[in-house]
């Protein structure tokens, strides 16, 4: 997953302490003006390199293809929800990353400016210039203190997202709560070991896999996103639901005509219609679950997860609807 291996971002205090303690050790290995030069170079290099590493650890949100639209929209939704009121999600993160890169370049400039002053001077003057440079380096790092904190908060919010491969053929399972979505996904895949929570859902997102004709298919159960009408979702949930559109190759909308789920069939079908309208680029199949109790609905397929009746036929219908043809390696 694109955000999984992001390193912890140092605080400004941690970075300053690291740079100056390493510089002190470098200075002890030499004497006179050379010691001051070595201290300055070490402190500036550590400051600049560590700040640059904070930025380069992140994918480039501006470069097309570096971040899939699914993960871009998901990150934007999560970061807007994690931030303060009127937070701009990815735009705020990009601004913080830009500020930190500015600080990295500024540290290089300070090094160049003061290193030239240390070349032809006495030890006392060299020490004075080195201390001035250290003060400016510390000031630069402190100026981006809030940005470093914001970047680390973003890292913490994004690194544990469930892994969904945007390039893998994907079946999205939707419908009201208690219609059997999770039981279906868990029953046909290994999703029990692949469930994790998004910051804006109350239950885990189920992600499982199955193989058909040597092709791996991804099944995604999205409670909190596609299990109620759009008007009942908040802005963040709506944007996260929008992100799912970028990965869905087929949508299975499960309905429970027995209404044992607790929702009237009319409401379930209204949600189905809204999902059909939203997922214009993916086939949407209506699946009657709990068919052992009732079949009183017009559906593309009928099944009972509880008894196993029709489950395989539903999977075959989804695979056929996707009609995925893997790319063969060129000779």
């Amino acid at each position: 997953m694109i955000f999984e291996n992001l390193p912890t971002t140092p605080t400004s205090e941690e970075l300053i302490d690291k740079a100056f303690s390493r510089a002190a050790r470098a200075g002890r290995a030499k004497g006179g003006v050379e010691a001051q030069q070595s201290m300055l170079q070490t402190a500036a290099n550590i400051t600049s390199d560590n700040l640059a590493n904070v930025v380069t650890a992140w994918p480039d949100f501006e470069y097309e293809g570096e971040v899939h639209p699914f993960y871009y929209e998901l990150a934007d939704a999560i970061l807007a929800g994690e931030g303060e009121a009127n937070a701009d999600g990815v735009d705020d993160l990009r601004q913080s990353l830009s500020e930190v890169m500015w600080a990295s370049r500024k540290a290089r400039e300070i090094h160049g400016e003061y290193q030239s002053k240390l070349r032809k001077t006495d030890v006392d003057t060299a020490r004075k210039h080195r201390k001035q440079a250290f003060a400016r380096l510390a000031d630069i790092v402190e100026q981006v203190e809030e940005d470093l904190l914001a970047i680390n908060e973003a890292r913490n919010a994004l690194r544990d997202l469930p892994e969904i491969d945007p390039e893998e053929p994907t079946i999205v399972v939707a419908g009201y709560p208690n219609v059997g979505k999770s039981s279906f996904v868990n029953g046909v895949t290994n999703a029990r070991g692949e469930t994790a929570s998004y910051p804006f859902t109350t239950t885990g997102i189920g992600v499982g896999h199955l193989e058909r004709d040597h092709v791996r298919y991804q099944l995604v159960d999205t409670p909190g996103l596609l299990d109620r009408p759009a008007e009942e979702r908040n802005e963040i949930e709506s944007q996260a639901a929008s992100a799912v559109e970028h990965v869905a190759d087929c949508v299975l909308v499960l309905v429970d005509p027995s209404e044992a789920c607790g929702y009237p069939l009319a409401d379930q079908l209204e949600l189905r219609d809204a999902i059909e309208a939203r997922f214009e680029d993916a086939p949407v199949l209506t699946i009657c679950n709990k068919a052992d109790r009732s079949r009183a609905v017009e559906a593309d397929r009928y099944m009972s997860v509880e008894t196993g009746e029709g489950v395989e036929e539903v999977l075959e219908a989804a695979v056929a609807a996707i009609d995925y043809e893997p790319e063969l390696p060129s000779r």
Side-chain angles (χ1 to χ4, degrees):
M1 200 269 289
I2 193 169
F3 304 117
E4 184 177 11
N5 296 317
L6 291 170
T8 302
T9 305
T11 65
S12 59
E13 183 178 359
E14 289 170 342
L15 183 49
I16 293 169
D17 287 347
K18 179 180 179 181
F20 291 172
S21 62
R22 295 273 185 89
R25 288 202 297 271
R28 285 195 294 270
K30 300 181 180 180
V33 173
E34 189 178 1
Q36 303 306 310
Q37 291 175 320
S38 180
M39 291 175 70
L40 173 58
Q41 181 171 350
T42 300
N45 285 348
I46 289 176
T47 301
S48 181
D49 290 349
N50 278 264
L51 290 171
N53 289 341
V54 167
V55 179
T56 57
W58 285 82
D60 188 347
F61 286 96
E62 291 184 333
Y63 181 73
E64 186 174 353
E66 181 107 4
V67 180
H68 191 278
F70 167 72
Y71 275 119
Y72 188 103
E73 285 202 34
L74 209 54
D76 199 40
I78 291 169
L79 297 181
E82 290 284 319
E84 300 175 356
N86 302 318
D88 286 330
V90 166
D91 284 346
D92 284 348
L93 171 60
R94 284 166 52 188
Q95 181 62 36
S96 289
L97 292 169
S98 177
E99 292 295 330
V100 170
M101 185 55 80
W102 165 84
S104 172
R105 297 192 188 102
K106 200 68 179 175
R108 290 287 178 197
E109 291 177 12
I110 292 170
H111 172 249
E113 177 185 343
Y114 279 89
Q115 198 68 285
S116 62
K117 293 180 180 181
L118 298 180
R119 289 195 184 105
K120 296 180 180 180
T121 187
D122 58 82
V123 175
D124 289 339
T125 304
R127 185 179 293 109
K128 176 183 176 182
H129 286 319
R130 191 266 302 163
K131 288 182 177 180
Q132 289 175 348
F134 273 25
R136 289 183 59 186
L137 287 172
D139 181 62
I140 289 298
V141 175
E142 288 169 355
Q143 284 187 51
V144 294
E145 178 178 6
E146 294 300 321
D147 295 294
L148 292 170
L149 292 173
I151 291 168
N152 199 54
E153 288 175 0
R155 173 252 189 195
N156 292 339
L158 299 178
R159 67 190 299 270
D160 293 327
L161 289 179
E163 184 170 352
I164 295 176
D165 185 352
E167 306 304 327
E168 202 167 79
T170 301
I171 301 167
V172 172
V173 183
Y176 266 98
N178 305 318
V179 296
K181 301 188 302 297
S182 297
S183 297
F184 172 69
V185 174
N186 291 339
V188 300
T189 73
N190 56 347
R192 292 183 192 279
E194 301 181 52
T195 300
S197 293
Y198 284 102
F200 39 74
T201 60
T202 56
T203 55
I205 298 294
V207 183
H209 300 88
L210 57 86
E211 282 197 11
R212 288 292 184 278
D213 298 325
H214 306 292
V215 176
R216 187 166 113 139
Y217 292 85
Q218 186 171 234
L219 272 76
V220 180
D221 175 22
T222 56
L225 300 182
L226 298 174
D227 61 357
R228 60 187 187 280
E231 60 269 17
E232 294 182 14
R233 303 183 198 125
N234 61 38
E235 185 176 346
I236 298 168
E237 291 167 339
S238 294
Q239 188 169 349
S242 176
V244 175
E245 294 177 44
H246 295 291
V247 296
D249 296 297
C250 175
V251 183
L252 302 180
V253 182
L254 271 59
V255 296
D256 171 15
S258 74
E259 300 183 349
C261 63
Y263 298 92
L265 178 60
D267 290 352
Q268 297 180 57
L269 294 177
E270 188 175 337
L271 177 63
R272 186 274 316 271
D273 293 343
I275 291 172
E276 280 185 337
R278 179 157 202 163
F279 288 82
E280 296 179 348
D281 297 328
V284 177
L285 304 182
T286 302
I287 308 300
C288 167
N289 189 29
K290 306 181 185 179
D292 54 322
R293 301 184 186 185
S294 173
R295 290 175 175 251
V297 64
E298 185 176 342
D300 295 291
R301 292 291 185 278
Y302 297 82
M303 72 174 183
S304 169
V305 174
E306 186 173 344
T307 67
E309 175 196 356
V311 171
E312 189 61 32
E313 288 77 6
V314 168
L315 292 176
E316 290 176 1
V319 169
I322 294 175
D323 194 23
Y324 178 77
E325 294 188 10
E327 291 185 10
L328 298 177
S330 57
R331 293 183 178 179

